[in-house]
């Protein structure tokens, strides 16, 4: 399968026919600003709202959603260790306070915060 992400939707495409198998759209008035994705999950943000999506059995399904204190600058859900391709964590960089936060998935329980301090602007993040 192929996952296509644009500002208005996420599409799961059949890799042979390129036809849309499943589609997810953000709530009315929202858009997709930042995304972290792997073969079974997507996390998207719009401003300070983050949404977690599952990709399984040819469907994109919204699992959870959380509103943060600050706007999101970047997200990552790279699977770590022996995870069978799914991430247990979501790393988020925030604009205003220049912090990096780690949340558990699927419920977005905040596990750790690290403020970088100074005039740092977080633009990209990767868990490895």
């Amino acid at each position: 399968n192929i996952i296509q992400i644009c500002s208005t939707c996420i599409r799961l495409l059949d890799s042979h026919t390129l036809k849309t198998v499943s589609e997810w759209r953000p709530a009315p008035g929202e858009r997709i600003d930042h995304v972290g994705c792997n073969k079974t999950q997507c996390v998207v943000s719009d401003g300070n709202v983050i949404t977690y999506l599952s990709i399984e059995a040819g469907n994109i399904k919204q699992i959870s959603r959380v509103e943060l204190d600050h706007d999101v600058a970047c997200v990552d859900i790279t699977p770590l260790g022996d995870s069978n391709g799914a991430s247990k964590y979501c790393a988020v960089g925030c604009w205003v306070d220049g912090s990096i936060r780690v949340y558990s998935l699927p419920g977005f329980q905040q596990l750790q915060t690290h403020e970088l301090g100074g005039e740092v602007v977080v633009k990209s993040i990767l868990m490895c």
Side-chain angles (χ1 to χ4, degrees), residues 100-120:
I100 295 171
R101 302 167 186 207
V102 178
Y103 297 90
S104 64
L105 293 173
F108 287 110
Q109 178 183 17
Q110 188 170 326
L111 302 175
Q112 192 170 23
T113 299
H114 180 73
E115 293 187 18
L116 299 174
E119 297 296 317
V120 175

Side-chain angles (χ1 to χ4, degrees), residues 10-69:
I10 296 176
R11 291 186 184 108
L12 185 61
L13 308 175
D14 181 285
S15 59
H16 300 291
T17 65
L18 299 181
K19 293 189 184 231
T20 300
V21 175
S22 183
E23 183 176 270
W24 176 87
R25 292 185 177 272
E30 294 182 3
R31 56 182 285 127
I32 299 170
D33 288 332
H34 302 94
V35 63
C37 195
N38 61 47
K39 65 182 183 178
T40 62
Q41 303 163 293
C42 280
V43 172
V44 299
S45 73
D46 176 35
N48 67 333
V49 176
I50 301 178
T51 305
Y52 171 59
L53 308 162
S54 173
I55 303 166
E56 56 187 58
N59 289 307
I60 303 170
K61 181 180 175 185
Q62 182 173 322
I63 303 297
S64 56
R65 179 179 163 99
V66 68
E67 189 173 327
L68 305 181
D69 298 338

